[in-house]
Amino acid sequence: MGITNNDLVLQNPHSFLTGFFLFIVAGVLLYLAYQWALPKPIPGIPYNEEAAGRIMGDMPSIVAYMKEHGRLRPWFAKQPVRHGSPLIQFWMTPFSKPKLILSDYQEAQDILLRRSKEFDRSTRSIQVFLTIPDHHIAMASTDRRFKGNKELVRDLMTPKFLYDVSAPQIYSKTTALVELWTLKAELANGRPFDARRDIFDAAIDIINAATFAFDDSLCTVKHQLDYLATTDSRQLPVNPDGSVDFPQLPELDDIAVVHALCDHIGNQFKSLKPKLSHKFKLLTDSSFRRNLARKDELITQEINKSLQRFESGDNTMFSAMDHMLQREREAAKKAGRKPDFHSRRIYDELFGYIVAGHDTSSSALKWIVKLISEHQDVQNKLRSILQAAYPAALAESRQPNETEITKTSIAYVDAVIEEALRYASPLPVVLRETTMDTILLGHHIPKGTDIFMPSSGPGILMPALPVNDNVRSETSRTKHWGGKWNEQDMHLFNPERWLKTDETGKIQYDSQAGPFLAFGLGPRSCFGKRLAYLEIRMVLVLLVWNFVFKPLEGELASSMAVDSLTSNPKYCYVALEKVQR
Ligand code: HEM
Ligand SMILES: *[C@@H]1O[C@H](CO)[C@@H](O)[C@H](O)[C@H]1NC(C)=O
Ligand SMILES: *[C@@H]1O[C@H](CO)[C@@H](O)[C@H](O)[C@H]1NC(C)=O
């Protein structure tokens, strides 16, 4: 039998009182600890009631949402809608400060463009990219290394560099995809096939080429083409859904290394504690450590190859790497020091091209291929506009060449690309953190608060939420620019929304027609945006020039998405017919 209160009193009244006192103290302490651990809302900003009443905050809802939908990202755009408020707060993990979701384009534009002193790259983003700690993506703007890194990559996105150096690289890899799909179109005989791997491969070939100018031995699409050409694929088994599968080579070893590292960063995006999960991975996963080392080895090899070529007197630039090396050589000469071609900074800025530029472009290309299959009117219009824009290529029955594609501006092409990125943003959320106590839509926001700004939310894909103009910042009220989308059709894919007719009756592309956040905005917006546009344009032009993307049915046409580093279509099939000319 246990000791009852009665026993205690009788045996030792003194110890009972002490015990009772300790019990009360412990109770009070527990209560205080519980109160301390409960989420503390920022006054005046809506939040989920159930989250504020538990130590775990919104985490259980987030976990449940991820379980149900297999992805988290749409949750961000849903919360402001749920509360009918453009600014809401939530608690992602226990014992954490509230984070904010801002779904108002005008104020987001103000934060990103004009208030970058108060809102910088977030600590969370920096931790996500711990795989490349010396890349500028993993630095606050106040980091003393930041300026030097930006200096190193300064000219890489100028039209001159892109057209002269990157465009030929991108063109040659895109041509390989056209060749592969020409063969597949013939073998599939009009039946659909899964395009995800080919687009993923083409995107990695393209970004590898722009970054390192790898030779064809590392060109994955070329390998697939050679393999398919020598495999007997005349009798492809047809799946119940009408699609066919092609035999496929496993990934090349070195590409698998890159892929695994990018996958880790994709997981980092989803991690609730990215710093912890990165350290854990480093400690526990020896294949991850091997991949990191192999990646560095690959870069060392490529750097040495270029340096040897420079030494022999050939200073031609083929890649972003060549440019960085020559820049380092000049900087060292100016400063009277020895050049350091093997610095962590150069290695990370180079690998950052792949990390930031592969999955993003791959996602964008997959969505665009789906969208033109779904919207036959857009595809047909695009093809006839291209045929009119490249009359020489049409007359000579050849491909538009790289100069023609880069130098001919075609409003409708710009509109289709922009609309695809608006409609299906590869990265649906832009993130910033307050660097000081500040005010946002009339609310006091403490320093160190994360702010998530959905690029697929209200104002962009669904009706904007109401905001009282008086609570907007001064610069937001006086300096904002750009149109607004029509609420009736903003949820639809329609490139026409980006076009306007000028005074002379000419149709122009209007990049400010309405809210768009796919590349972020301001000093910390996407560094590689111009390269991305160039790549998407080349791929889109050459694909639509060469193939009719026939409409798809059933599950193959599903618009469901899955999230890795970026958001990707779950189903990305193409049914191709070669354009005859
Ligand atoms: C369709 C393709 C792409 C999309 C949708 C995309 C999107 C984005 C977004 C949303 C951001 C964050 C912007 C912000 O916080 O304001 C970003 C940052 C960045 N992107 Fe891209 N990106 C793409 C392609 C590329 C490519 C090809 C590169 C190649 C170099 C690249 C390099 C970067 C870098 C370095 C940053 C960080 C910039 C900084 O921290 O200052 N991106 N990108
Ligand atoms: C590359 O060059 C560096 C410096 O000259 C040298 O230390 C290194 O061994 C070389 N590595 C390879 C893989 O060629
Ligand atoms: C591309 O075609 C144009 C004619 O439209 C020609 O003048 C130009 O030299 C060609 N460029 C290349 C790189 O072949």
Side-chain angles (χ1 to χ4, degrees), residues 139-141 143-152 345:
M139 295 174 193
S141 308
D143 191 309
R144 56 185 174 74
R145 300 167 300 166
F146 184 69
K147 241 181 105 191
N149 279 58
K150 289 290 280 191
E151 190 61 26
L152 182 68
R345 172 200 279 179

Side-chain angles (χ1 to χ4, degrees), residues 216-237:
D216 274 353
S217 71
L218 272 176
C219 175
T220 58
V221 171
K222 205 121 181 85
H223 278 270
Q224 294 293 354
L225 178 61
D226 293 347
Y227 177 64
L228 198 60
T230 56
T231 321
D232 182 19
S233 303
R234 297 281 140 191
Q235 245 96 59
L236 292 169

Side-chain angles (χ1 to χ4, degrees), residues 22-40 53 55 95:
L22 285 178
F23 177 75
I24 295 289
V25 169
V28 168
L29 283 179
L30 263 176
Y31 176 76
L32 287 177
Y34 176 71
Q35 285 300 321
W36 171 82
L38 274 182
K40 304 273 171 316
I55 293 177
F95 314 116

Side-chain angles (χ1 to χ4, degrees), residues 49-187:
E49 284 297 339
E50 73 275 12
R54 63 189 176 211
I55 293 177
M56 302 299 276
D58 285 283
M59 200 165 132
S61 326
I62 290 178
V63 171
Y65 186 91
M66 278 172 106
K67 241 193 202 136
E68 186 183 342
H69 301 271
R71 59 194 299 242
L72 173 62
R73 284 174 181 155
W75 187 85
F76 289 101
K78 283 219 164 80
Q79 303 311 307
V81 177
R82 175 176 174 186
H83 293 284
S85 163
L87 185 66
I88 69 108
Q89 59 186 322
F90 71 104
W91 294 272
M92 195 137 136
T93 49
F95 314 116
S96 64
K97 289 181 294 190
K99 299 181 190 299
L100 304 179
I101 301 175
L102 172 68
S103 245
D104 178 76
Y105 180 72
Q106 183 175 327
E107 222 57 27
Q109 182 189 70
D110 192 51
I111 284 181
L112 295 167
L113 273 176
R114 302 173 208 106
R115 299 178 68 185
S116 54
K117 279 215 165 65
E118 299 156 80
F119 301 87
D120 195 8
R121 169 120 305 175
S122 72
T123 313
R124 180 180 162 81
S125 306
I126 290 170
Q127 293 174 350
V128 163
F129 289 105
L130 279 174
T131 309
I132 42 171
D134 273 298
H135 189 288
H136 72 273
I137 204 170
M139 295 174 193
S141 308
T142 47
D143 191 309
R144 56 185 174 74
R145 300 167 300 166
F146 184 69
K147 241 181 105 191
N149 279 58
K150 289 290 280 191
E151 190 61 26
L152 182 68
V153 299
R154 201 183 62 195
D155 297 331
L156 294 170
M157 295 297 154
T158 57
K160 181 162 173 44
F161 185 83
L162 288 175
Y163 292 170
D164 293 352
V165 181
S166 307
Q169 296 289 337
I170 298 175
Y171 189 85
S172 101
K173 302 307 172 198
T174 307
T175 303
L177 178 65
V178 170
E179 283 170 24
L180 177 64
W181 278 10
T182 300
L183 179 57
K184 285 196 171 179
E186 188 195 320
L187 295 173

Side-chain angles (χ1 to χ4, degrees), residues 89-371:
Q89 59 186 322
F90 71 104
W91 294 272
M92 195 137 136
T93 49
F95 314 116
S96 64
K97 289 181 294 190
K99 299 181 190 299
L100 304 179
I101 301 175
L102 172 68
S103 245
D104 178 76
Y105 180 72
Q106 183 175 327
E107 222 57 27
Q109 182 189 70
D110 192 51
I111 284 181
L112 295 167
L113 273 176
R114 302 173 208 106
R115 299 178 68 185
S116 54
K117 279 215 165 65
E118 299 156 80
F119 301 87
D120 195 8
R121 169 120 305 175
S122 72
T123 313
R124 180 180 162 81
S125 306
I126 290 170
Q127 293 174 350
V128 163
F129 289 105
L130 279 174
T131 309
I132 42 171
D134 273 298
H135 189 288
H136 72 273
I137 204 170
M139 295 174 193
S141 308
T142 47
D143 191 309
R144 56 185 174 74
R145 300 167 300 166
F146 184 69
K147 241 181 105 191
N149 279 58
K150 289 290 280 191
E151 190 61 26
L152 182 68
V153 299
R154 201 183 62 195
D155 297 331
L156 294 170
M157 295 297 154
T158 57
K160 181 162 173 44
F161 185 83
L162 288 175
Y163 292 170
D164 293 352
V165 181
S166 307
Q169 296 289 337
I170 298 175
Y171 189 85
S172 101
K173 302 307 172 198
T174 307
T175 303
L177 178 65
V178 170
E179 283 170 24
L180 177 64
W181 278 10
T182 300
L183 179 57
K184 285 196 171 179
E186 188 195 320
L187 295 173
N189 205 5
R191 293 208 169 81
F193 62 90
D194 191 347
R196 286 176 304 172
R197 170 75 189 272
D198 292 342
I199 295 178
F200 182 92
D201 284 355
I204 198 134
D205 287 347
I206 288 173
I207 197 73
N208 275 338
T211 314
F212 299 108
F214 278 154
D215 55 38
D216 274 353
S217 71
L218 272 176
C219 175
T220 58
V221 171
K222 205 121 181 85
H223 278 270
Q224 294 293 354
L225 178 61
D226 293 347
Y227 177 64
L228 198 60
T230 56
T231 321
D232 182 19
S233 303
R234 297 281 140 191
Q235 245 96 59
L236 292 169
V238 180
N239 297 318
D241 61 13
S243 68
V244 290
D245 297 323
F246 286 100
Q248 223 149 31
L249 278 176
E251 247 176 351
L252 300 170
D253 289 347
D254 284 334
I255 300 299
V257 165
V258 170
H259 192 170
L261 292 174
C262 290
D263 275 353
H264 166 65
I265 297 172
N267 290 333
Q268 286 286 94
F269 260 94
K270 290 187 246 176
S271 167
L272 294 175
K273 294 269 177 200
K275 188 175 177 183
L276 207 67
S277 51
H278 181 74
K279 285 201 164 149
F280 186 75
K281 184 94 175 159
L282 266 179
L283 271 174
T284 57
D285 189 340
S286 59
S287 78
F288 178 65
R289 293 194 300 269
R290 263 199 312 279
N291 287 339
L292 278 176
R294 176 61 194 154
K295 178 259 299 172
D296 282 349
E297 230 171 76
L298 267 172
I299 299 178
T300 307
Q301 274 173 16
E302 293 302 313
I303 290 181
N304 285 8
K305 262 194 246 166
S306 276
L307 289 178
Q308 254 173 23
R309 188 164 54 79
F310 298 162
E311 252 160 48
S312 75
D314 175 4
N315 279 317
T316 323
M317 277 196 265
F318 293 106
S319 63
M321 179 185 72
D322 287 351
H323 186 273
M324 279 188 211
L325 296 176
Q326 295 196 9
R327 194 156 193 104
E328 168 62 13
R329 192 175 58 187
E330 282 153 30
K333 200 179 200 179
K334 234 189 222 158
R337 60 173 171 83
K338 268 187 70 181
D340 183 3
F341 297 118
H342 295 279
S343 68
R344 197 66 259 162
R345 172 200 279 179
I346 289 183
Y347 278 50
D348 284 358
E349 281 296 340
L350 283 172
F351 195 58
Y353 254 67
I354 317 290
V355 166
H358 172 237
D359 222 52
T360 44
S361 318
S362 166
S363 153
L365 292 173
K366 284 181 212 157
W367 285 116
I368 222 167
V369 155
K370 271 186 84 72
L371 287 166

